Amino acid sequence: MIKIPEKIIFANLPTRIEKLERLSQKLGGPNIYIKRDDQTGTEVSGNKIRKLEFSVKEALNQGCDVLITCGGIQSNHCRATAAVASRLGMKSVLVLRGDSETELDGNLFIDKLLGAEIQFITPEQYKNSKAQIMEEIKGKLEKQGFKPYIIPEGASNGIGGFGYYNAMEEIIFQEKEMGVHFDKIVLAVGSGGTHSGLLLASKTLEYTGEIYGINVCDDAQHFKNEIYKILQESMKYIDVNLHISKDEIHIMDGYVGRGYALSRPEELSFVHDFAKLEGIILDPVYTGKAMYGLVEEIKKGSFENCENILFIHTGGAFGLFPQKHLFKL
Ligand SMILES: *Cc1c(COP(=O)(O)O)cnc(C)c1O
């Protein structure tokens, strides 16, 4: 039995697995199920809280009192970090890619409501020097007597990955309860930690289904490299040395569309149709693109030999609001 690092509990777990009856029927292919990780909480909703449960435990073990992290202006991860910090009486500093003049909406509004301190940086600064900027903030806070802890983008590092190691254990348990086996698990990939955690657990627990990520930015090669790196980091924590090659990291490229957080009309009308069909809201940045991709791939016959597919709803609902004017309702 592998002993994974300790966590602090914030998420409402286990999250439900529901069958998408009408979508499955309409496509006439495999049965599609959805794991409701969008319901891990309210302030902490989505996939990031599973990762933060491990990152923040590590921060507390080190005696830290400030959480510093970074992300896009509508980052779900930054919002969840701000919520956790406030719940623990800690301070949070968010380094956001974007403009201070941006309208307070969606996650950015919640960040403010939760009392996060926000530093806006340009896309160039974000691309080239976000780690350095967070280190500088850490240095300044240390001079003031604080003990800051830096969480990388998406909490996608060795420790954060255990959130989805845990989720994989949960899925295996739920399969037994439901009497269903998932041939494929499909999810959106944005920084790779979710995919990495699932893959690590699936290998160590000898799960026979396969994990398929759909990238919402960059490309397949970028994520094969990122996920490979996170896997190596996680394995150090549990003293496991599995050989997982980059070929075993499945990324379905082709659904980035106009780029990160930019939507195409067909993606938004898909989110609208899905909400009407199943009564479940997806987000435009991650789950809308990934579910759109999954449906396109099923139509193309890529999942012809599958009986059951599990899609992980990784959350992101607050990200719908800043894009509301783009929907044709
Ligand atoms: C961050 C995020 C993802 C991607 O997860 P990663 O672990 O960063 O790859 C997917 N969906 C939502 C809603 C997210 O906020």
Side-chain angles (χ1 to χ4, degrees):
M1 186 72 184
I2 290 164
K3 195 169 169 291
I4 66 171
E6 288 174 25
K7 66 171 184 174
I8 176 166
I9 292 173
F10 278 113
N12 287 321
L13 301 179
T15 55
R16 286 164 56 89
I17 292 179
E18 297 162 355
K19 187 171 174 195
L20 298 174
E21 293 282 359
R22 283 165 300 282
L23 183 67
S24 306
Q25 201 168 28
K26 193 173 148 195
L27 295 171
N31 298 311
I32 309 168
Y33 291 81
I34 190 163
K35 183 160 175 65
R36 303 297 305 270
D37 274 14
D38 55 319
Q39 297 184 345
T40 48
T42 301
E43 302 83 0
V44 299
S45 68
N47 63 334
K48 299 309 177 318
I49 191 59
R50 285 191 188 260
K51 302 193 264 182
L52 288 169
E53 286 188 329
F54 287 88
S55 313
V56 172
K57 180 67 184 174
E58 188 175 81
L60 292 173
N61 287 347
Q62 293 174 11
C64 296
D65 53 11
V66 184
L67 300 176
I68 303 173
T69 196
C70 65
I73 195 146
Q74 280 296 330
S75 167
N76 298 303
H77 161 70
C78 289
R79 178 257 308 151
T81 303
V84 165
S86 294
R87 291 246 196 126
L88 291 167
M90 296 168 99
K91 187 178 154 71
S92 64
V93 183
L94 310 178
V95 176
L96 300 181
R97 175 182 54 217
D99 194 326
S100 61
E101 300 297 301
T102 309
E103 195 191 340
L104 274 190
D105 200 349
N107 287 300
L108 182 62
F109 168 64
I110 311 279
D111 294 342
K112 286 276 191 184
L113 208 55
L114 289 164
E117 197 179 303
I118 297 175
Q119 181 167 334
F120 292 96
I121 62 173
T122 65
E124 288 69 38
Q125 285 174 311
Y126 193 87
K127 190 162 179 275
N128 303 318
S129 44
K130 56 181 175 293
Q132 193 191 325
I133 291 168
M134 289 196 288
E135 284 296 340
E136 281 164 16
I137 294 170
K138 182 175 181 223
K140 270 190 213 151
L141 287 166
E142 277 168 347
K143 280 195 191 120
Q144 295 167 28
F146 288 104
K147 231 184 146 216
Y149 179 91
I150 295 177
I151 302 172
E153 184 184 62
S156 285
N157 61 356
I159 187 74
F162 286 103
Y164 275 84
Y165 187 106
N166 232 192
M168 188 72 235
E169 294 176 317
E170 196 177 295
I171 292 166
I172 293 171
F173 186 81
Q174 287 174 309
E175 276 194 334
K176 291 204 183 87
E177 252 181 359
M178 298 168 70
V180 175
H181 175 63
F182 303 113
D183 308 290
K184 303 273 189 279
I185 297 177
V186 178
L187 71 149
V189 173
S191 60
T194 304
H195 192 123
S196 170
L198 289 169
L199 185 58
L200 180 59
S202 80
K203 294 290 175 189
T204 53
L205 305 171
E206 295 175 2
Y207 184 70
T208 57
E210 289 180 305
I211 318 295
Y212 274 76
I214 298 181
N215 54 306
V216 302
C217 54
D218 299 289
D219 60 17
Q221 200 52 52
H222 170 82
F223 283 111
K224 279 171 185 269
N225 294 336
E226 283 302 304
I227 292 166
Y228 186 82
K229 208 168 70 190
I230 302 165
L231 281 169
Q232 306 307 316
E233 273 181 41
S234 291
M235 283 194 271
K236 283 188 201 142
Y237 280 87
I238 50 175
D239 213 12
V240 161
N241 197 3
L242 282 178
H243 182 74
I244 303 177
S245 82
K246 288 183 187 170
D247 293 338
E248 293 172 82
I249 303 172
H250 303 296
I251 304 287
M252 292 194 292
D253 209 338
Y255 300 97
V256 174
R258 292 175 54 229
Y260 178 76
L262 300 172
S263 297
R264 294 182 289 170
E266 57 266 45
E267 292 159 11
L268 298 178
S269 55
F270 175 81
V271 169
H272 186 194
D273 291 342
F274 185 86
K276 288 185 285 185
L277 185 68
E278 292 288 354
I280 296 174
I281 50 173
L282 299 169
D283 80 294
V285 182
Y286 298 94
T287 54
K289 284 185 181 179
M291 183 63 92
Y292 175 81
L294 171 60
V295 167
E296 289 300 303
E297 293 293 324
I298 290 174
K299 285 186 193 161
K300 276 197 235 166
S302 310
F303 292 104
E304 231 162 29
N305 302 322
C306 295
E307 197 180 336
N308 301 303
I309 294 179
L310 178 66
F311 179 85
I312 309 216
H313 191 331
T314 40
F318 294 122
L320 270 170
F321 297 96
Q323 295 207 24
K324 58 185 177 285
H325 56 283
L326 298 174
F327 282 84
K328 291 197 173 61
L329 303 175

